[in-house]
């Protein structure tokens, strides 16, 4: 009743949330560099011009660009077997459509991956984590333009060739399905670099942009396997299972449709096919999307090796009194609070059993290995006068989720490659731009405006996770 000895216990971050150095060594500005700071009550703004009057938290991150050697030492002491990060596309192709890559950017990731490998930590790399070149937004309108496919595949080929002996596990697009919430400006922008579209057009634009990304993802899988047949290339889905609010069949069908609307991306990336309901829905909407037969052939060929997933919470939905025939899912409108669950200060409902449910659901549907590449609790931390951080709430969260994951492995027989808690080190929140929404097991002395010593402190959760890795998990009877 134990986990495999090669189970990948790790930690996860993304380039734009930690690196800082936003315009150093030839890096171009990414979409994240145009996002101001926000809070739980005030969304982040997208500013086409970078203005001195705003704070842009991704410009400074936690300065990992300069401190990576020390940080990796802390990860190694923690016992991490793997570390998930992303490659900032704009360090490699600053504008996105450049002819040749930026050598300094390539060097940085050579050094980063070497340092990880030297410390016995396997790099797990996302190609696009909410940080596409802003140049592609300005010049081409983001992913609603087919040209983006070639730019992305060129970027992927460049880094695949360069790091083919340093990195084995890759993922194409982080949380590609976030944009199923097509009425969220931030989701459309972060996934696809789409700005300024009307609410009326947003659904159609999302389906077009997502289609191009899925073709790009499939081509990337195909070309990656040609470059190195040993590569493991995955998709990455934001997993939040959707429950019906009551046993009323209307609510149950609403939840079913909501799951279909949120996870059809997985149907394409794992099975290589558009689901029937979506083909009919797109056709009857008269959108005339640009989806060619050759695209469909590529989607069939370029299915992924494994499913990367993030898991933070579940969702609950209820049907309207008057549903349209398709039961179209509008996340903000249809979502309700689940009275059986507690929530974080940021309103995320905590549901460890939902993780086991999700792992079963994905396993039954796709039959691919799963890799939990994000899970964690965003919370405020207090530093004691002895410089200690007693974050028992974070330990409770992680422990409850890890136990459910272990049950999925041991009692449900699910193949799980590894587990990388999100924000192994405190970082800039993607949703709010705050530093004070902390996920890390390592504390970073820095406030929301970027002020602080930047010093790293080890939280109680660091020592707890260190012991857990040493024991290869938690004994289920604990
Ligand atoms: C995921 C993203 O959505 O959740 C991360 O992949 C993000 O980039 C994480 O940071 C937590 O969300 P937030 O908004 O609390 O940072």
């Amino acid at each position: 009743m134990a986990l495999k000895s090669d189970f990948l216990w790790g930690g996860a971050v993304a380039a734009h949330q930690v690196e800082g150095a936003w315009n150093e060594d030839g890096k171009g500005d990414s979409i994240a560099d145009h996002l101001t700071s926000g809070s739980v009550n005030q969304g982040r703004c997208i500013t086409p011009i970078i203005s001195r009057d705003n704070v842009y938290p991704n410009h400074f991150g936690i300065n990992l660009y300069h401190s990576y050697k020390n940080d990796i030492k802390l990860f190694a002491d923690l016992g991490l077997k793997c570390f998930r990060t992303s490659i900032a596309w704009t360090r490699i192709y600053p504008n996105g459509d450049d002819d040749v890559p930026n050598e300094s950017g390539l060097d940085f990731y050579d050094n980063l991956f070497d340092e990880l490998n030297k410390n016995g930590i396997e790099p797990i790399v996302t190609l696009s984590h909410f940080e596409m070149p802003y140049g592609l937004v300005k010049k081409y309108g983001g992913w609603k333009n087919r040209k983006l496919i070639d730019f992305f595949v060129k970027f992927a080929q460049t880094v695949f060739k360069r790091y083919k002996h340093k990195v084995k596990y890759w993922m194409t697009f982080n949380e590609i399905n976030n944009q199923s919430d097509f009425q969220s400006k931030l989701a459309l922008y972060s996934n696809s670099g789409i700005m300024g579209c009307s609410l009326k057009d947003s659904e159609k634009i999302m389906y077009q942009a997502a289609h191009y990304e899925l073709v790009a993802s499939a081509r990337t899988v195909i070309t990656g396997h040609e470059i190195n047949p040993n590569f493991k290339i995955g998709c990455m889905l934001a997993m939040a299972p959707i429950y019906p609010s009551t046993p009323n069949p209307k609510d149950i069908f609403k939840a079913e449709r909501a799951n279909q609307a949120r996870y059809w991306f997985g149907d394409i990336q794992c099975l290589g096919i558009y689901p029937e309901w979506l083909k009919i829905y797109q056709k009857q909407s008269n959108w005339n999307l640009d989806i060619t037969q050759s695209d469909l052939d590529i989607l069939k060929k370029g299915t992924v090796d494994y499913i990367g997933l993030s898991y933070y919470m579940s969702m609950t939905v209820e049907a309207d009194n008057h549903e349209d025939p398709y039961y179209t899912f509008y996340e903000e409108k249809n979502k309700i609070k689940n009275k059986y669950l507690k929530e974080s200060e940021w309103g995320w409902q905590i549901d460890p059993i939902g993780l086991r449910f999700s792992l079963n659901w994905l396993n039954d549907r796709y039959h691919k290995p799963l890799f939990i590449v994000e899970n964690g609790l965003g919370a405020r931390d207090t530093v004691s006068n002895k410089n200690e951080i007693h974050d028992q709430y974070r330990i409770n969260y992680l422990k409850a989720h890890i136990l459910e994951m272990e049950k999925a492995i041991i009692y449900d027989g699910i193949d799980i490659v590894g587990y990388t808690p999100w924000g192994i080190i405190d970082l800039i929140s993607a949703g709010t731009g705050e530093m004070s929404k902390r996920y890390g097991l390592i504390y970073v002395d820095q406030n929301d405006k970027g002020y602080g010593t930047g010093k790293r402190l080890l939280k109680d959760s660091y020592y707890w996770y260190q012991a857990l890795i040493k024991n290869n998990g938690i004994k289920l009877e604990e």
Side-chain angles (χ1 to χ4, degrees):
M1 299 278 269
L3 302 196
K4 288 186 286 193
S5 58
D6 59 355
F7 187 82
L8 288 174
W9 294 105
V13 302
H16 68 107
Q17 292 172 266
V18 293
E19 285 178 8
W22 74 288
N23 57 3
E24 287 181 39
D25 300 332
K27 180 182 173 297
D29 49 336
S30 75
I31 53 172
D33 294 320
H34 287 260
L35 283 175
T36 64
S37 61
S39 67
V40 65
N41 300 316
Q42 191 208 322
R44 305 182 76 176
C45 296
I46 306 163
T47 68
I49 306 284
I50 290 173
S51 140
R52 281 166 169 232
D53 302 331
N54 297 319
V55 177
Y56 296 92
N58 301 84
H59 289 191
F60 42 82
I62 55 162
N63 193 32
L64 184 130
Y65 188 76
H66 295 291
S67 68
Y68 71 90
K69 285 197 176 162
N70 289 335
D71 292 331
I72 289 174
K73 167 98 181 47
L74 298 177
F75 302 155
D77 292 346
L78 172 53
L80 295 195
K81 301 195 189 307
C82 73
F83 176 66
R84 173 183 178 228
T85 189
S86 57
I87 294 180
W89 186 348
T90 48
R91 289 203 191 282
I92 313 301
Y93 289 104
N95 303 295
D97 61 353
D98 315 73
D99 289 335
V100 290
N102 170 33
E103 195 52 36
S104 314
L106 288 166
D107 279 349
F108 170 69
Y109 292 105
D110 264 324
N111 296 336
L112 184 79
F113 299 148
D114 286 346
E115 193 67 21
L116 287 166
N117 285 320
K118 202 167 83 191
N119 281 279
I121 302 174
E122 172 120 36
I124 313 287
V125 177
T126 316
L127 291 165
S128 181
H129 192 133
F130 307 162
E131 58 208 354
M132 63 183 286
Y134 191 75
L136 296 180
V137 174
K138 229 171 28 190
K139 207 157 149 193
Y140 302 92
W143 275 98
K144 60 180 183 242
N145 191 323
R146 184 177 270 278
K147 290 203 174 99
L148 276 266
I149 300 175
D150 285 340
F151 298 135
F152 180 79
V153 173
K154 180 173 168 184
F155 159 60
Q157 282 170 333
T158 305
V159 297
F160 280 164
K161 284 185 190 152
R162 180 80 169 214
Y163 309 122
K164 73 178 194 182
H165 300 303
K166 301 186 183 188
V167 177
K168 173 175 165 194
Y169 286 95
W170 301 87
M171 274 167 274
T172 55
F173 292 92
N174 183 64
E175 294 189 337
I176 188 167
N177 59 324
N178 272 356
Q179 56 196 324
S180 61
D181 184 11
F182 51 86
Q183 296 198 325
S184 155
K185 286 200 167 66
L186 189 63
L188 270 191
Y189 178 73
S190 300
N191 275 137
S192 298
I194 307 288
M195 282 167 75
C197 72
S198 67
L199 270 189
K200 193 173 130 286
D201 293 336
S202 61
E203 190 178 12
K204 170 185 168 183
I205 290 177
M206 178 277 286
Y207 278 119
Q208 185 64 73
H211 174 74
Y212 291 147
E213 282 156 28
L214 290 162
V215 173
S217 173
R219 277 185 54 194
T220 299
V221 173
I222 297 166
T223 191
H225 286 146
E226 283 160 6
I227 292 169
N228 184 347
N230 294 325
F231 277 172
K232 298 280 178 212
I233 309 175
C235 58
M236 200 298 203
L237 299 173
M239 190 65 207
I242 303 176
Y243 304 146
S245 53
T246 73
N248 181 339
K250 263 184 104 174
D251 291 328
I252 292 179
F253 186 65
K254 185 77 199 182
E256 168 65 6
R257 174 46 45 88
N259 279 310
Q260 289 174 320
R262 219 177 126 82
Y263 299 108
W264 63 272
F265 298 81
D267 297 355
I268 294 188
Q269 292 183 298
C270 302
L271 307 174
I273 46 164
Y274 263 89
E276 291 307 319
W277 72 268
L278 183 54
K279 284 199 263 186
I280 290 174
Y281 181 60
Q282 291 183 340
K283 193 157 170 231
Q284 294 180 351
S285 300
N286 286 321
W287 287 328
N288 293 319
L289 299 178
D290 172 26
I291 299 176
T292 66
Q293 186 54 48
S294 129
D295 292 346
L296 298 176
D297 295 342
I298 289 169
L299 295 178
K300 221 183 203 124
K301 236 177 116 197
T303 53
V304 293
D305 299 317
Y306 70 95
I307 302 170
L309 65 133
S310 61
Y311 179 83
Y312 293 91
M313 62 191 141
S314 55
M315 282 192 227
T316 305
V317 294
E318 78 185 351
D320 284 343
N321 287 335
H322 304 288
E323 283 289 341
D324 66 47
Y326 308 101
Y327 275 58
T328 311
F329 172 50
Y330 299 96
E331 195 170 311
E332 280 320 305
K333 186 166 145 220
N334 301 134
K335 213 165 65 175
I336 61 156
K337 290 279 179 206
N338 183 332
K339 66 175 182 193
Y340 296 100
L341 301 176
K342 295 209 172 94
E343 62 184 27
S344 77
E345 203 182 318
W346 280 264
W348 293 21
Q349 292 210 280
I350 300 168
D351 177 12
I353 295 178
L355 175 59
R356 184 173 177 189
F357 177 92
S358 301
L359 296 167
N360 274 272
W361 191 86
L362 287 167
N363 188 50
D364 286 352
R365 200 169 163 120
Y366 300 128
H367 306 286
K368 300 252 181 199
L370 303 175
F371 197 159
I372 302 169
V373 295
E374 286 188 32
N375 173 235
L377 177 72
R380 289 180 208 284
D381 290 329
T382 314
V383 183
S384 78
N385 46 18
K386 288 191 198 140
N387 271 347
E388 291 166 347
I389 297 109
H390 303 303
D391 57 342
Q392 189 58 42
Y393 38 90
R394 187 168 291 107
I395 296 174
N396 294 344
Y397 179 100
L398 294 172
K399 183 172 177 187
H401 286 78
I402 290 172
L403 278 171
E404 293 303 323
M405 173 190 75
E406 292 192 6
K407 287 180 200 165
I409 297 173
I410 288 165
Y411 301 133
D412 307 333
I414 299 178
D415 181 6
I416 302 180
V417 182
Y419 173 86
T420 62
W422 177 250
I424 193 74
I425 182 165
D426 289 345
L427 41 65
I428 305 297
S429 154
T432 68
E434 292 166 291
M435 189 70 203
S436 43
K437 187 182 186 189
R438 294 176 184 273
Y439 285 90
L441 281 55
I442 301 169
Y443 184 89
V444 178
D445 176 30
Q446 183 177 299
N447 69 14
D448 289 341
K449 296 212 158 100
Y451 297 120
T453 61
K455 204 168 153 197
R456 279 52 169 155
L457 299 171
L458 308 182
K459 304 183 192 179
D460 287 357
S461 53
Y462 178 97
Y463 298 107
W464 170 81
Y465 192 47
Q466 188 178 49
L468 180 147
I469 295 176
K470 216 174 253 159
N471 293 330
N472 198 23
I474 307 172
K475 297 245 165 355
L476 281 182
E477 58 277 10
E478 263 175 43

